[in-house]
């Protein structure tokens, strides 16, 4: 977190410069068979490495707490199953961005009733046993979830959200900064981190993760049709009080329709993977 705080502390002096020239247009991944080509806008002063480092600290804290409570599962059959699926998906990540081959990927399974999973910046994956056990997930369905989460990391949706947050907060505070009235850099950093790490992804980002995740799973030899059975299960379990995973990943009918439309694009990749 220290580097991000340094960046935010410069806000009062450099606010105008950030707003006028600090944004750069990038496309973090290749389009793939599913054709994700949207240009993204990132603050140049908020680097991929800074975001990765910040998330890695949070990730290690979560893993450390799970280990101290005796709920970090590294040895069970289920843990080996999750790791094996992750390995196959990770091997396909360079198809979307070659530098992902050098990421310091980590995969951890936590024993908890929580219905949740995520992959943070830099390839830090966490799966909770509750998601697997409650939904009775097949390997293909686990791959659908994990592929979706890996896609968020490949597309750097966290850094993108944080960049937007900087723009919003700098705009709000720009006049005061230019008049030398100062600003609370800690509050700014907290706001930015909240946008980037805790708030739901935009619908556009969710759609990108759906499509790239679908292709990752297909390339890894997992049936892309599992994405449909997965989200149908999600819809049923969310009819009561929705689990945390569903609060940021709504299983709408339009989402399922979009996945169904994309499956023919990736089915040849799946068939090819099954033969190899």
């Amino acid at each position: 977190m220290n580097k991000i705080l340094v960046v935010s502390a410069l806000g009062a002096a450099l606010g105008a410069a950030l707003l006028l020239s600090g944004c750069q247009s990038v496309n973090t991944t290749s389009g793939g068979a599913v054709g994700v080509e949207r240009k993204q806008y990132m603050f140049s002063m908020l680097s991929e490495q800074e975001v990765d480092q910040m998330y890695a600290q949070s990730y290690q804290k979560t893993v450390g707490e799970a280990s101290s409570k005796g709920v970090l599962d590294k040895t069970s059959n289920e843990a080996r199953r999750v790791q094996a699926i992750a390995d196959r998906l990770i091997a396909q990540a360079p198809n979307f961005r070659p530098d992902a081959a050098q990421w310091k990927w980590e995969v951890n399974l936590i024993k908890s009733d929580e219905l949740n999973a995520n992959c943070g910046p830099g390839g830090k994956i966490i799966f909770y046993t509750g998601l697997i056990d409650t939904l009775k997930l097949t390997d293909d369905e686990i791959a659908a979830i994990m592929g979706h989460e890996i896609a968020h990391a490949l597309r750097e949706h966290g850094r993108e959200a944080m960049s937007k947050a900087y723009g919003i907060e700098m705009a709000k505070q720009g006049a005061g900064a230019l008049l030398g009235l100062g600003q609370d850099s800690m509050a700014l950093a907290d706001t930015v981190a909240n946008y980037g790490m805790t708030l739901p992804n935009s619908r556009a980002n969710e759609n990108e993760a759906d499509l790239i995740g679908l292709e990752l799973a297909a390339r890894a030899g997992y049936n892309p049709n599992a994405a449909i059975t997965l989200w149908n299960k999600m819809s049923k379990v969310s009819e009561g009080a929705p689990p945390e995973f569903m609060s940021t990943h709504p299983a709408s009918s339009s989402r399922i329709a979009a996945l169904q439309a994309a499956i023919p694009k990736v089915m040849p990749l799946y068939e090819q993977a099954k033969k190899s």
Side-chain angles (χ1 to χ4, degrees):
M1 185 71 77
N2 56 337
K3 287 188 177 181
I4 202 73
L5 294 179
V6 170
V7 173
S8 62
L10 293 173
L14 301 178
L18 279 170
L19 289 171
L20 293 174
S21 62
C23 207
Q24 59 183 354
S25 173
V26 300
N27 198 348
T28 53
T29 62
S30 64
V34 291
V36 173
E37 300 286 358
R38 178 182 62 90
K39 287 293 184 183
Q40 299 165 277
Y41 294 91
M42 310 284 193
F43 271 137
S44 57
M45 292 183 68
L46 184 63
S47 73
E48 175 192 352
Q49 291 73 26
E50 286 169 327
V51 175
D52 288 357
Q53 181 183 36
M54 181 178 66
Y55 189 80
Q57 292 173 354
S58 173
Y59 182 84
Q60 293 305 326
K61 180 181 178 182
T62 299
V63 171
E65 290 175 350
S67 179
S68 65
K69 295 176 182 177
V71 296
L72 185 64
D73 185 352
K74 302 292 286 186
T75 59
S76 72
N77 289 336
E78 196 163 73
R80 287 191 289 272
R81 179 188 179 204
V82 168
Q83 182 69 59
I85 294 169
D87 288 344
R88 286 170 59 175
L89 292 168
I90 291 167
Q92 301 304 319
N95 285 292
F96 285 94
R97 52 181 300 167
D99 67 315
Q102 281 75 52
W103 283 9
K104 296 179 180 178
W105 293 88
E106 291 187 47
V107 183
N108 282 288
L109 180 67
I110 294 178
K111 292 182 284 188
S112 168
D113 291 338
E114 187 174 341
L115 275 66
N116 204 8
N118 60 72
C119 178
K124 301 295 188 287
I125 299 170
I126 288 181
F127 239 81
Y128 293 85
T129 57
L131 189 61
I132 300 171
D133 297 339
T134 300
L135 298 183
K136 295 179 172 56
L137 297 180
T138 65
D139 285 3
D140 292 320
E141 289 167 343
I142 292 175
I145 292 178
M146 197 177 293
H148 174 101
E149 294 303 313
I150 288 173
H152 278 307
L154 295 176
R155 286 291 285 171
E156 295 185 56
H157 285 153
R159 182 160 75 106
E160 185 179 18
M162 293 170 75
S163 296
K164 290 178 182 177
Y166 265 115
I168 292 169
E169 292 304 305
M170 289 292 187
K172 287 179 181 178
Q173 302 179 29
L178 292 174
L179 290 171
L181 298 180
Q183 64 186 25
D184 186 343
S185 60
M186 286 292 290
L188 175 59
D190 287 345
T191 299
V192 168
N194 187 52
Y195 270 90
M197 299 300 178
T198 62
L199 294 184
N201 283 291
S202 69
R203 185 65 194 95
N205 287 1
E206 283 296 296
N207 182 62
E208 290 176 357
D210 280 349
L211 295 178
I212 291 176
L214 190 73
E215 182 168 337
L216 281 172
R219 286 181 177 274
Y222 293 104
N223 192 334
N225 287 299
I228 306 304
T229 60
L230 166 69
W231 292 112
N232 282 329
K233 287 181 179 181
M234 288 288 192
S235 294
K236 291 179 180 179
V237 80
S238 66
E239 290 175 356
E244 181 178 352
F245 190 82
M246 289 299 297
S247 69
T248 55
H249 301 74
S252 64
S253 57
S254 60
R255 166 177 234 149
I256 292 174
L259 284 165
Q260 287 173 325
I263 285 174
K265 298 178 182 179
V266 302
M267 189 57 74
L269 298 172
Y270 168 63
E271 297 293 347
Q272 181 180 352
K274 294 296 287 182
K275 292 177 182 177
S276 59

